[in-house]
Amino acid sequence: MAKTLLLGVTVGILALPVLPAAAQADYPGKTVRLVHGFTAGGISDVLARSIGARLTSSMGQQVVVDPRPGAGTTIASEQIAKSPADGYTLFLQDITTHAINASLYRRLPYDSVRDFTPITLIAATPLILVVHPSLPAKSVKELTALARKHPDDISYGSSGNGTIVHLAGEMLKAMADVKMIHVPYKGSPQAITGLLGGEVALLFATMPPAMPMVAAGKLRALGVTTPQRTGAAPEVPTMKEAGLKDFELVLYSGILAPRGVPRSVVDKLNVEFGKAVRSPEVQNVYSKVGALPVTNTPDEFAAHVQSEMVKLGKLVQLSGARVD
């Protein structure tokens, strides 16, 4: 069983109301909605459904997964920010929803820090660099050498301007000092389809849609963006191993609630999500999609969100992406 990671950083967060122990003991008393801002079948949906099923069993109340895609996850984020602070509407976020969007959008109808209550991180997943088989590059070094020889001749796809997939491509360009053309699609499924059809040469993809194509020989995997190799594709080197020593981009996922949820409920949710992440059922799902189990305290998660906002904000600025 994979070992649960613990991020050792702390920071103060907004003061939360504290209710008597009886209030925590009575929670939950009805169905809990777990919202995410992505399409069904993606990595967030897979994580949400596996954990939701486990929570339904452990907490004795139905946990319903509610995908609300659209507008770069800002629709779902706004819905959570404006939901009652009672613990019955939760949000599975990732670095797109907060760390990227805080810099990508000039105006948001909510505050990415103030309007949310951190519960815990739940997973860390890699992106995987995949290329079309026709590209004469079987390693990251060969890819970057080819890009230097043919500046602006190689195109890379993304799931849209300012997405983590786009920013990974920008990081590759900057660290390898190469010039490539960015081709944004309307989402990850379209980007994968474009790569399979040869419309673009490469893509930083999430594991679930990419690995079946790699196994079938329709795509070639060159590297993963996490510091360690993933058990879902142990033969694929990290980007650091492949020659870009500072290349690290982890797709963190965590649970937020609306601002003002009672601390007693926050603490109970933190414990319940931690148990779910460590359960054999959930870890089996994680291993299949290349996810690592990660849990931490609400304060540590708050610090993590803010540090990722700084880190990814710099990448957004580098990319030049902006949404009015």
Side-chain angles (χ1 to χ4, degrees):
M1 184 181 298
K3 183 179 179 181
T4 300
L5 304 178
L6 179 65
L7 302 184
V9 290
T10 58
V11 71
I13 59 174
L14 293 168
L16 299 174
V18 178
L19 297 184
Q24 178 172 327
D26 291 341
Y27 174 86
K30 60 180 181 179
T31 297
V32 177
R33 281 195 313 136
L34 181 55
V35 177
H36 66 76
F38 301 91
T39 54
I43 185 68
S44 293
D45 193 54
V46 171
L47 296 177
R49 292 186 187 282
S50 64
I51 289 179
R54 181 62 188 173
L55 290 174
T56 295
S57 175
S58 66
M59 295 200 302
Q61 292 290 344
Q62 189 75 19
V63 177
V64 177
V65 177
D66 186 5
R68 296 288 175 128
T73 74
T74 60
I75 291 174
S77 298
E78 182 178 8
Q79 179 185 357
I80 297 300
K82 295 180 178 179
S83 292
D86 56 9
Y88 289 97
T89 304
L90 305 176
F91 190 30
L92 193 157
Q93 59 84 240
D94 74 2
I95 57 177
T96 299
T97 66
H98 282 64
I100 293 176
N101 284 351
S103 297
L104 181 64
Y105 287 81
R106 293 185 188 276
R107 296 181 184 86
L108 289 170
Y110 52 84
D111 186 285
S112 297
V113 175
R114 187 190 63 234
D115 291 337
F116 299 88
T117 300
I119 305 297
T120 182
L121 278 169
I122 59 166
T125 56
L127 296 175
I128 185 166
L129 173 58
V130 286
V131 301
H132 192 272
S134 64
L135 191 72
K138 296 185 178 180
S139 68
V140 173
K141 287 184 178 180
E142 289 182 5
L143 171 62
T144 55
L146 190 65
R148 291 191 188 99
K149 188 176 180 180
H150 302 282
D152 286 329
D153 281 352
I154 296 176
S155 58
Y156 69 99
S158 81
S159 51
N161 283 314
T163 61
I164 188 62
V165 175
H166 174 203
L167 299 185
E170 291 296 321
M171 182 180 285
L172 174 62
K173 286 168 56 180
M175 290 189 175
D177 191 24
V178 297
K179 295 181 179 180
M180 297 186 296
I181 298 174
H182 173 223
V183 180
Y185 290 86
K186 292 183 178 180
S188 292
Q190 294 89 341
I192 286 284
T193 299
L195 178 59
L196 290 169
E199 296 174 359
V200 293
L202 61 98
L203 172 72
F204 282 91
T206 55
M207 299 288 284
M211 290 312 298
M213 300 298 103
V214 172
K218 296 180 179 180
L219 296 176
R220 183 185 304 128
L222 302 187
V224 293
T225 62
T226 39
Q228 299 87 26
R229 296 192 184 198
T230 172
E235 73 284 357
V236 180
T238 67
M239 296 295 288
K240 290 182 178 181
E241 290 175 325
L244 297 178
K245 64 181 182 67
D246 295 322
F247 198 112
E248 179 182 324
L249 197 57
V250 182
L251 186 62
Y252 287 104
S253 300
I255 304 299
L256 299 171
R259 178 187 185 186
V261 171
R263 186 70 197 216
S264 56
V265 173
V266 169
D267 289 342
K268 182 163 188 176
L269 285 169
N270 182 273
V271 170
E272 290 294 339
F273 273 96
K275 289 193 297 185
V277 167
R278 291 187 291 271
S279 69
E281 302 95 320
V282 171
Q283 292 209 8
N284 181 52
V285 173
Y286 274 34
S287 67
K288 293 178 181 178
V289 298
L292 291 173
V294 185
T295 59
N296 57 2
T297 69
D299 285 11
E300 289 166 347
F301 184 30
H304 176 79
V305 170
Q306 295 189 50
S307 67
E308 287 290 289
M309 287 172 67
V310 173
K311 175 182 175 180
L312 274 298
K314 293 177 181 177
L315 271 181
V316 171
Q317 185 177 15
L318 176 67
S319 74
R322 199 74 171 172
V323 178
D324 292 323

